[in-house]
Amino acid sequence: MAGSLNGIQAKAKEANSKISYVHCYGHCLNLVLVDSLGKDNKTVFNFFGCLQMINSFVEGSPTRHSILEQIVEASKLKLKTLKSLSTTRWVCRSEDVEAIKTNYSSLLKCLDEIAKKTTMADVRAKAKGLLYQMKTFKFVFVLQVISPILIMILKVSATLQDPNLNLLSAVDVVLSLKAALTTMRSDNINFSIQYNEAVSICNIHEINLLEVEIRKISSKIGTSKNQYFPKTPNTPNTRSEEHTSEL
């Protein structure tokens, strides 16, 4: 589409040389997500890989899907359909994350029941492996953090695809999203809420909390050369609080 030789841009300019090409902001937003979440952040990368495996495993078999449906019905909840992750439209992954978040407890029971009742060794191994990944603090915490981020991005993406949207409004929407994400990144109150929600879920399902390792950080961050992250896994402000100790 954007090709300067054979793309639609080139064909349109053949008809009118004064036409200016403007790149799709929705596509740009998707490319940013691919680069920031899909490549550089290994924790999020592994998280989405696990989500894809959960979907393929449960939805790949009518029997396993039926087990999930029965567990959801017994819990008197509404099943939110698991969807395959899109490799091109990352903004749509918001629906996938919300489905896992809504069905989290039921999925744990489903995988546990499959692992116990199946007569196939490979199915049991996959069920236990997925159950192990889902019952980690890291998985639960990423699930809590990534959900509101993707919801905001999904709303912006939908706005950018409005046929009546003009360029100035598109720029304002993107800048507003950037400001909201920046605020969220430095908001300790919001972080504490998400952390506490993750801890609450872990306590309900008897998941061990991730212990924070004591490790030395760069002296360029502060004036002291002996800065450490405290080993306090139950403290929500571990991210922002640093304690200095003399060796």
Side-chain angles (χ1 to χ4, degrees):
M1 181 175 183
S4 59
L5 298 178
N6 297 315
I8 296 179
Q9 173 189 186
K11 300 299 181 182
K13 285 188 175 181
E14 288 178 2
N16 186 349
S17 60
K18 296 182 179 180
I19 292 178
S20 297
Y21 175 75
V22 179
H23 201 76
C24 174
Y25 266 76
H27 183 58
C28 289
L29 179 62
N30 185 75
L31 293 177
V32 170
L33 285 174
V34 171
D35 289 336
S36 60
L37 298 180
K39 293 181 180 180
D40 296 336
N41 194 314
K42 296 302 180 183
T43 299
V44 178
F45 179 82
N46 294 337
F47 169 80
F48 280 116
C50 186
L51 257 59
Q52 181 62 60
M53 292 181 66
I54 294 170
N55 174 76
S56 300
F57 182 74
V58 176
E59 299 297 327
S61 166
T63 302
R64 294 193 286 268
H65 177 77
S66 177
I67 293 174
L68 177 61
E69 284 186 333
Q70 292 173 10
I71 291 174
V72 172
E73 289 178 3
S75 303
K76 297 182 180 181
L77 300 174
K78 185 177 180 180
L79 177 63
K80 200 162 188 177
T81 307
L82 303 180
K83 298 182 179 180
S84 180
L85 299 183
S86 172
T87 56
T88 54
R89 300 187 64 199
W90 269 69
V91 290
C92 294
R93 298 197 172 196
S94 174
E95 298 177 2
D96 309 321
V97 170
E98 289 307 305
I100 297 294
K101 189 176 179 180
T102 302
N103 302 325
Y104 182 77
S105 298
S106 299
L107 280 169
L108 292 182
K109 296 177 182 178
C110 174
L111 292 172
D112 184 58
E113 184 170 335
I114 292 172
K116 290 179 179 178
K117 293 185 177 181
T118 184
T119 58
M120 295 181 286
D122 61 329
V123 173
R124 180 181 290 110
K126 290 179 181 178
K128 286 188 174 182
L130 291 174
L131 191 60
Y132 174 82
Q133 290 295 330
M134 290 186 68
K135 295 189 71 172
T136 60
F137 176 80
K138 186 176 291 187
F139 181 92
V140 175
F141 184 68
V142 174
L143 187 63
Q144 292 297 318
V145 171
I146 206 70
S147 175
I149 294 176
L150 289 179
I151 289 175
M152 285 195 302
I153 295 174
L154 180 62
K155 291 180 180 179
V156 171
S157 178
T159 302
L160 292 175
Q161 296 178 58
D162 187 344
N164 298 320
L165 185 70
N166 58 57
L167 182 59
L168 293 179
S169 297
V171 173
D172 289 339
V173 169
V174 173
L175 291 178
S176 297
L177 174 62
K178 183 178 179 180
L181 292 175
T182 301
T183 300
M184 180 181 290
R185 184 178 184 180
S186 57
D187 187 355
N188 288 329
I189 297 177
N190 180 64
F191 175 81
S192 297
I193 293 173
Q194 293 175 341
Y195 180 91
N196 290 331
E197 288 179 352
V199 170
S200 177
I201 293 174
C202 289
N203 290 334
I204 292 173
H205 298 285
E206 299 180 348
I207 299 173
N208 294 328
L209 298 181
L210 179 67
E211 291 191 3
V212 180
E213 297 180 357
I214 301 177
R215 59 186 177 89
K216 193 170 184 178
I217 61 175
S218 174
S219 59
K220 295 181 181 179
I221 296 179
T223 56
S224 173
K225 295 183 179 180
N226 302 315
Q227 297 182 8
Y228 297 86
F229 290 111
K231 192 174 183 180
T232 52
N234 292 323
T235 303
N237 291 326
T238 302
R239 181 189 65 169
S240 60
E241 293 181 359
E242 296 173 3
H243 294 276
T244 303
S245 61
E246 296 287 339
L247 290 180

